[in-house]
Amino acid sequence: MIILNTSKIMKITVCRKAHFNSAHRLANLSWTKEKNLKVFGKCSYDNYHGHNYELIVKLTGEIDPETGMLMDLSILKKIIKTEVEDVLDHKNLNLDIPYFKNLIPSTENLAIFIWNKLRDAIKINCDLSVVLYETPRNFVEYSG
Amino acid sequence: MIILNTSKIMKITVCRKAHFNSAHRLANLSWTKEKNLKVFGKCSYDNYHGHNYELIVKLTGEIDPETGMLMDLSILKKIIKTEVEDVLDHKNLNLDIPYFKNLIPSTENLAIFIWNKLRDAIKINCDLSVVLYETPRNFVEYSG
Amino acid sequence: MIILNTSKIMKITVCRKAHFNSAHRLANLSWTKEKNLKVFGKCSYDNYHGHNYELIVKLTGEIDPETGMLMDLSILKKIIKTEVEDVLDHKNLNLDIPYFKNLIPSTENLAIFIWNKLRDAIKINCDLSVVLYETPRNFVEYSG
Amino acid sequence: MIILNTSKIMKITVCRKAHFNSAHRLANLSWTKEKNLKVFGKCSYDNYHGHNYELIVKLTGEIDPETGMLMDLSILKKIIKTEVEDVLDHKNLNLDIPYFKNLIPSTENLAIFIWNKLRDAIKINCDLSVVLYETPRNFVEYSG
Amino acid sequence: MIILNTSKIMKITVCRKAHFNSAHRLANLSWTKEKNLKVFGKCSYDNYHGHNYELIVKLTGEIDPETGMLMDLSILKKIIKTEVEDVLDHKNLNLDIPYFKNLIPSTENLAIFIWNKLRDAIKINCDLSVVLYETPRNFVEYSG
Amino acid sequence: MIILNTSKIMKITVCRKAHFNSAHRLANLSWTKEKNLKVFGKCSYDNYHGHNYELIVKLTGEIDPETGMLMDLSILKKIIKTEVEDVLDHKNLNLDIPYFKNLIPSTENLAIFIWNKLRDAIKINCDLSVVLYETPRNFVEYSG
């Protein structure tokens, strides 16, 4: 028989995947065009490019014995839709999202933006982390 | 040269993916049909639906210098087959698995069921965690 | 310069992916339990199992020059939802779908069922084919 | 022993996958903003969105017995890079590609644009078709 | 109601995915090392490299009304195992497969080798085609 | 408003995926052929087999506020190419890599080899971990 550290009993992580399609460009507006091109390469081109972003939202907490679930799914889905998809999908991150007016919309910064919005909106007692794929080969993980 | 914290030297995580196809429904049998429909949505329909479950089994421990591997693969594969696939594949979780007679077969509870069975069967000195995909968009992680 | 067979000019195939989760079992009800087990293996178990079905709907026709698209997407999405997802998602194919009362709900027969429903509902001038994945390793293609 | 129709002997299809990330918007510039929103939905938003496009280039022809290959790969890779990736990657299809100045950059029209550029550049005797994924759920196939 | 060309009624394509892991190198043994390096690049290195090959076997024919399936799956699986997996898995294509003693084991030639072996072994009345992935980005399709 | 443990603020993990194709065999050279076959199965065959390895490199550290990124991507890409791809791609791990002359090139040992090479080459202040897929079903994670 396995003896578990009681502080870990029934802690589980639930993950939901979402996606949105956005345009952006990477550029430090205080730099010259040449320096931006040197650091960010094609990502700095003036007219924007875009991505099919994939987002994984991970909640860690205890299971509700009445439902067998960590959180009521209909609530979580609504939060992800309202806080992330409705805000970012089919938008230009640089032009449409005030948060990125003076902040580079890198995958790192975008993951933090999403984490903060979800952290404010998820009211249950749980840890939160997000994984954000910019492409299948580039992604970030953020846990606050 | 890198100096490592000696407590971490040679600790590695080995992951094996398996899959099984099962039917289930989500319902709290002490609730009304209406309340189950409100909380679980279509997952509460009477006649069951099903999933292609994907399971990742992760073992963390030290490498056996004789084999370069954490665990003899032929043993691990046999354990996953005996403890998980033979038990759950092409079964109805609610009807065929006594453990779920009075427990909702949510992904969370199913991951814990699998973890407990594997934890009892894996005899080497290692940590265990499982990742269980109900669909490509819904999955849970459990480490005991 | 390429000279094209004029009958092929502007013919293009547009593909939309959908998914649904259903339970089913495979059994010829006029056979003994033993014969069903011999032919269908675990797929014949009494209490059903299930799958995350993936469906690709392919339409081949001419592009509407006003939209640059083969078909108004909002209409196509509504048709797939009404004809396929609302009918099959979270259902038991054997018990809930009258079409399969006396017909084995194999991937082959299910693909034909879906094709017929879509063929009746899609009113534009186009060819139709469907690809239906029962699992990532088993799938069928049907074009009428 | 299999007797083959001699006209088919040694005809084979070779497929190469590539990808590029671009921004675009869908709008018929002769329509009102309201009509564009009604037909194209969020895809018509003013400030562009974007995608990770996946492209599959398929060549059908005879194998060169000296190499066992349909076409010298180093040449094919260079053609795809020059004709597609260098032209479209990290670009805004509406603003940066003159071909789409007055043509809606739908997946359909983009696939035809790519097919025409590749058809002109591939000099060996073969058939050509392309598959273009705008997202994992929306894609088109075009064969000229 | 749809009127179908009767010659097409009930024709369906069933697809099964398999995989095997093999080593190989690409070289025309009548060429110099330099020419092989120029044409085949790193694929010509002396000591072999290898791939996780993915194979899709496609059968097109009529559904057996007794089973709802094109072919008894237990037979098809055994054929793929005997003819392809047991022969190629964990083998060196150049050294272990006599067919490739004097033939370059390109993806093209390997697909034809597999198609011929399956064509001889599958006894039901059906068309056969194979898709062979050498990597997720390079694959071939062959239909005889 | 969320109050964060200050030691965690702005720590983020950035992940880059790479791949390489190699041949190898698993065998303890001090064992008999029979014992190797018993422990390693087909992986011990004399003439090597191979894999499409997928590598995920994960760096955890603080974001550079000037770029919004953890590390200059052009530098990271060059390091992965120089330290991993140029060394391992299209190579025979047993024959071409001196490190594996007397060490079994298991996925575990290969992940440690890669981790050590990257750890020496990445000069920024960050934690490093690697995930190495030998096949889609077998992979390891190593963090030093």
Side-chain angles (χ1 to χ4, degrees):
Chain A
M1 192 47 209
I2 304 300
I3 307 303
L4 294 172
N5 179 325
T6 54
S7 70
K8 293 181 67 182
I9 284 186
M10 302 308 283
K11 280 269 183 185
I12 200 162
T13 299
V14 173
C15 311
R16 309 286 163 192
K17 204 181 257 190
H19 58 262
F20 54 91
N21 309 320
S22 310
H24 79 154
R25 69 182 289 249
L26 302 183
N28 184 325
L29 300 182
S30 68
W31 290 353
T32 62
K33 189 165 185 163
E34 287 69 31
K35 183 161 181 191
N36 275 313
L37 194 60
K38 185 167 175 299
V39 172
F40 294 110
K42 294 190 289 188
C43 296
S44 70
Y45 285 178
D46 279 350
N47 287 331
Y48 312 101
H49 60 282
H51 299 290
N52 302 328
Y53 288 96
E54 297 268 357
L55 172 70
I56 301 174
V57 178
K58 298 185 172 192
L59 307 182
T60 301
E62 295 183 24
I63 296 177
D64 177 342
E66 286 236 306
T67 62
M69 300 193 299
L70 190 72
M71 182 176 179
D72 184 327
L73 261 197
S74 61
I75 297 175
L76 178 57
K77 281 182 182 166
K78 199 176 300 177
I79 290 174
I80 295 176
K81 183 175 186 309
T82 308
E83 300 296 320
V84 181
E85 293 173 347
D86 288 351
V87 174
L88 298 174
D89 191 30
H90 285 74
K91 298 290 179 58
N92 183 310
L93 302 180
N94 304 72
L95 299 180
D96 295 325
I97 313 297
Y99 183 91
F100 292 113
K101 192 172 156 63
N102 294 302
L103 186 68
I104 298 170
S106 62
T107 321
E108 289 91 331
N109 283 337
L110 184 57
I112 293 171
F113 171 77
I114 290 170
W115 188 92
N116 283 326
K117 286 185 68 67
L118 291 173
R119 183 70 285 182
D120 282 346
I122 293 171
K123 304 301 187 192
I124 68 166
N125 183 22
C126 69
D127 291 329
L128 169 68
S129 70
V130 297
V131 185
L132 181 65
Y133 286 78
E134 187 180 86
T135 73
R137 299 185 65 174
N138 296 342
F139 55 104
V140 306
E141 303 172 349
Y142 184 65
S143 303
Chain B
M1 191 48 209
I2 304 300
I3 307 301
L4 294 172
N5 179 326
T6 54
S7 71
K8 292 182 67 182
I9 283 185
M10 302 308 280
K11 278 270 183 184
I12 200 163
T13 299
V14 173
C15 311
R16 309 287 162 191
K17 202 182 258 190
H19 59 263
F20 54 92
N21 309 320
S22 310
H24 79 154
R25 69 181 289 249
L26 302 184
N28 184 324
L29 299 183
S30 68
W31 290 353
T32 62
K33 189 164 182 163
E34 289 66 33
K35 182 161 182 191
N36 274 314
L37 195 59
K38 184 167 176 300
V39 172
F40 295 110
K42 294 190 288 188
C43 296
S44 70
Y45 285 178
D46 278 350
N47 287 330
Y48 312 100
H49 61 281
H51 299 290
N52 303 327
Y53 289 96
E54 297 268 356
L55 172 71
I56 301 175
V57 177
K58 298 185 172 194
L59 307 182
T60 301
E62 295 182 23
I63 296 178
D64 176 344
E66 286 236 305
T67 63
M69 300 193 300
L70 189 72
M71 184 177 178
D72 185 326
L73 260 196
S74 61
I75 296 175
L76 178 58
K77 280 181 182 167
K78 198 176 301 177
I79 289 174
I80 295 176
K81 183 176 186 306
T82 307
E83 300 297 319
V84 181
E85 293 172 347
D86 289 352
V87 174
L88 299 174
D89 190 29
H90 285 73
K91 298 290 177 59
N92 183 309
L93 301 180
N94 305 71
L95 299 180
D96 295 325
I97 314 295
Y99 183 91
F100 291 113
K101 193 172 155 61
N102 294 303
L103 186 69
I104 299 170
S106 62
T107 321
E108 289 90 331
N109 283 337
L110 185 55
I112 293 171
F113 171 76
I114 291 169
W115 188 92
N116 283 326
K117 285 186 67 67
L118 291 173
R119 184 69 286 182
D120 282 346
I122 294 171
K123 303 302 187 190
I124 68 165
N125 182 20
C126 68
D127 291 330
L128 169 69
S129 70
V130 297
V131 185
L132 181 65
Y133 287 78
E134 187 180 87
T135 72
R137 299 186 65 174
N138 296 342
F139 56 103
V140 307
E141 302 172 349
Y142 184 64
S143 303
Chain C
M1 193 46 211
I2 305 298
I3 307 302
L4 295 170
N5 178 326
T6 53
S7 70
K8 293 181 67 182
I9 284 185
M10 301 308 282
K11 280 269 183 183
I12 200 163
T13 300
V14 173
C15 312
R16 309 287 162 193
K17 204 183 257 189
H19 59 262
F20 54 91
N21 309 320
S22 311
H24 78 154
R25 69 183 289 252
L26 302 184
N28 184 324
L29 300 182
S30 67
W31 290 353
T32 63
K33 189 165 184 163
E34 288 66 34
K35 182 161 182 191
N36 274 313
L37 195 60
K38 184 167 176 297
V39 172
F40 294 110
K42 295 190 287 189
C43 296
S44 71
Y45 285 179
D46 278 350
N47 287 331
Y48 312 102
H49 60 283
H51 299 291
N52 302 328
Y53 289 95
E54 298 268 357
L55 173 70
I56 301 174
V57 177
K58 298 186 172 190
L59 307 183
T60 301
E62 294 183 24
I63 297 177
D64 176 344
E66 286 235 305
T67 63
M69 299 193 301
L70 189 72
M71 184 178 176
D72 185 326
L73 261 196
S74 60
I75 296 175
L76 179 57
K77 281 180 181 166
K78 197 176 302 177
I79 289 174
I80 295 176
K81 182 174 186 310
T82 307
E83 299 298 319
V84 181
E85 293 173 346
D86 289 351
V87 174
L88 299 175
D89 191 29
H90 285 72
K91 298 290 177 59
N92 183 309
L93 301 180
N94 304 73
L95 299 179
D96 295 326
I97 313 298
Y99 183 91
F100 292 112
K101 192 171 156 61
N102 295 301
L103 186 68
I104 299 170
S106 62
T107 322
E108 289 90 331
N109 283 336
L110 185 55
I112 292 171
F113 172 76
I114 291 170
W115 188 91
N116 283 326
K117 286 186 67 67
L118 291 173
R119 183 69 286 181
D120 282 345
I122 294 171
K123 303 302 188 191
I124 67 165
N125 183 21
C126 67
D127 291 328
L128 168 69
S129 70
V130 298
V131 185
L132 180 65
Y133 286 77
E134 187 182 86
T135 73
R137 299 184 66 174
N138 296 342
F139 56 104
V140 306
E141 302 172 349
Y142 184 65
S143 304
Chain D
M1 193 47 210
I2 304 301
I3 306 303
L4 295 171
N5 178 326
T6 53
S7 70
K8 292 182 68 182
I9 284 184
M10 302 307 283
K11 279 271 181 181
I12 200 162
T13 299
V14 173
C15 311
R16 310 286 163 193
K17 205 182 256 189
H19 58 263
F20 54 91
N21 309 319
S22 311
H24 79 155
R25 69 182 289 250
L26 302 184
N28 183 324
L29 300 182
S30 68
W31 290 353
T32 64
K33 189 165 184 163
E34 289 66 33
K35 182 161 182 192
N36 276 313
L37 194 60
K38 183 166 178 298
V39 172
F40 294 110
K42 294 191 289 188
C43 296
S44 71
Y45 285 178
D46 278 352
N47 287 331
Y48 312 102
H49 60 282
H51 299 290
N52 303 328
Y53 289 95
E54 298 267 357
L55 172 71
I56 301 174
V57 177
K58 298 185 172 192
L59 307 183
T60 301
E62 295 183 21
I63 297 177
D64 176 343
E66 286 234 306
T67 63
M69 300 193 299
L70 190 73
M71 184 178 177
D72 184 328
L73 262 196
S74 60
I75 296 176
L76 178 58
K77 282 181 181 166
K78 198 176 300 174
I79 289 173
I80 294 176
K81 182 176 187 307
T82 307
E83 299 298 319
V84 181
E85 294 174 346
D86 289 351
V87 174
L88 299 175
D89 191 31
H90 284 73
K91 298 291 176 59
N92 183 309
L93 302 180
N94 305 73
L95 299 180
D96 295 325
I97 312 299
Y99 183 91
F100 291 112
K101 192 172 157 60
N102 294 302
L103 186 68
I104 299 171
S106 62
T107 321
E108 288 91 332
N109 283 336
L110 185 55
I112 293 171
F113 172 76
I114 290 169
W115 189 90
N116 282 326
K117 287 186 66 69
L118 291 173
R119 184 70 283 181
D120 282 347
I122 294 171
K123 303 302 188 191
I124 68 165
N125 183 20
C126 67
D127 291 329
L128 169 69
S129 70
V130 297
V131 185
L132 181 65
Y133 287 76
E134 187 182 86
T135 72
R137 298 185 67 176
N138 297 342
F139 56 103
V140 307
E141 302 172 350
Y142 184 65
S143 303
Chain E
M1 193 46 211
I2 305 299
I3 306 303
L4 295 171
N5 178 327
T6 54
S7 70
K8 291 182 67 183
I9 284 184
M10 302 308 282
K11 279 270 182 182
I12 201 163
T13 300
V14 173
C15 312
R16 310 286 162 192
K17 204 183 255 190
H19 59 262
F20 54 91
N21 309 319
S22 311
H24 79 154
R25 68 182 290 250
L26 302 184
N28 184 325
L29 300 182
S30 68
W31 290 354
T32 63
K33 188 165 186 164
E34 288 67 33
K35 182 161 181 192
N36 275 311
L37 194 60
K38 184 166 176 298
V39 172
F40 294 110
K42 293 191 289 188
C43 296
S44 71
Y45 285 178
D46 279 351
N47 287 331
Y48 312 102
H49 60 283
H51 299 291
N52 301 328
Y53 288 96
E54 298 268 357
L55 172 70
I56 301 174
V57 177
K58 299 186 171 192
L59 307 182
T60 301
E62 295 183 22
I63 297 178
D64 176 343
E66 287 235 305
T67 63
M69 301 193 299
L70 189 73
M71 184 178 177
D72 184 327
L73 260 195
S74 60
I75 296 175
L76 178 58
K77 282 181 181 167
K78 198 176 301 174
I79 289 174
I80 295 176
K81 181 174 186 310
T82 307
E83 299 298 318
V84 180
E85 293 174 347
D86 289 351
V87 174
L88 298 175
D89 191 30
H90 284 73
K91 298 292 177 58
N92 183 309
L93 302 180
N94 304 73
L95 299 180
D96 295 326
I97 312 299
Y99 183 90
F100 291 113
K101 192 172 157 61
N102 294 302
L103 186 69
I104 299 171
S106 62
T107 321
E108 288 91 330
N109 283 336
L110 185 56
I112 293 171
F113 172 77
I114 291 169
W115 188 92
N116 282 327
K117 286 185 67 67
L118 290 173
R119 184 69 285 181
D120 282 347
I122 294 171
K123 302 302 188 191
I124 68 164
N125 183 21
C126 68
D127 291 329
L128 169 69
S129 70
V130 297
V131 184
L132 182 65
Y133 286 78
E134 187 181 87
T135 73
R137 299 184 66 175
N138 296 341
F139 55 104
V140 306
E141 302 172 348
Y142 184 65
S143 304
Chain F
M1 190 49 207
I2 304 300
I3 307 302
L4 294 172
N5 178 327
T6 53
S7 70
K8 292 183 68 184
I9 283 185
M10 302 309 281
K11 279 268 182 185
I12 201 163
T13 299
V14 172
C15 312
R16 309 286 163 193
K17 203 182 257 189
H19 58 262
F20 54 92
N21 309 319
S22 310
H24 79 153
R25 69 183 288 251
L26 302 184
N28 184 324
L29 300 182
S30 68
W31 289 354
T32 63
K33 188 164 184 165
E34 288 67 32
K35 182 161 182 192
N36 276 313
L37 194 60
K38 184 168 176 299
V39 172
F40 294 110
K42 293 190 289 188
C43 296
S44 70
Y45 285 178
D46 278 351
N47 287 330
Y48 313 101
H49 60 282
H51 299 291
N52 302 328
Y53 288 95
E54 297 269 356
L55 173 71
I56 300 175
V57 177
K58 297 185 172 194
L59 307 182
T60 301
E62 295 182 24
I63 296 178
D64 177 343
E66 286 235 306
T67 63
M69 300 193 299
L70 189 74
M71 184 177 178
D72 184 327
L73 260 197
S74 62
I75 297 175
L76 178 58
K77 281 181 182 167
K78 198 177 301 176
I79 289 173
I80 295 176
K81 184 177 186 306
T82 307
E83 299 297 318
V84 181
E85 293 173 347
D86 289 352
V87 174
L88 299 175
D89 191 30
H90 284 74
K91 297 291 178 59
N92 183 310
L93 301 179
N94 304 72
L95 299 180
D96 296 325
I97 313 297
Y99 183 91
F100 291 113
K101 192 174 157 61
N102 294 302
L103 186 69
I104 299 171
S106 62
T107 321
E108 290 90 332
N109 284 336
L110 184 56
I112 293 172
F113 171 77
I114 290 170
W115 188 92
N116 283 326
K117 286 186 68 68
L118 290 173
R119 184 69 286 183
D120 282 347
I122 293 171
K123 303 302 188 190
I124 67 165
N125 182 21
C126 67
D127 291 328
L128 169 69
S129 70
V130 297
V131 185
L132 181 64
Y133 287 77
E134 187 181 86
T135 73
R137 299 186 65 175
N138 296 341
F139 56 103
V140 307
E141 303 172 349
Y142 185 65
S143 301

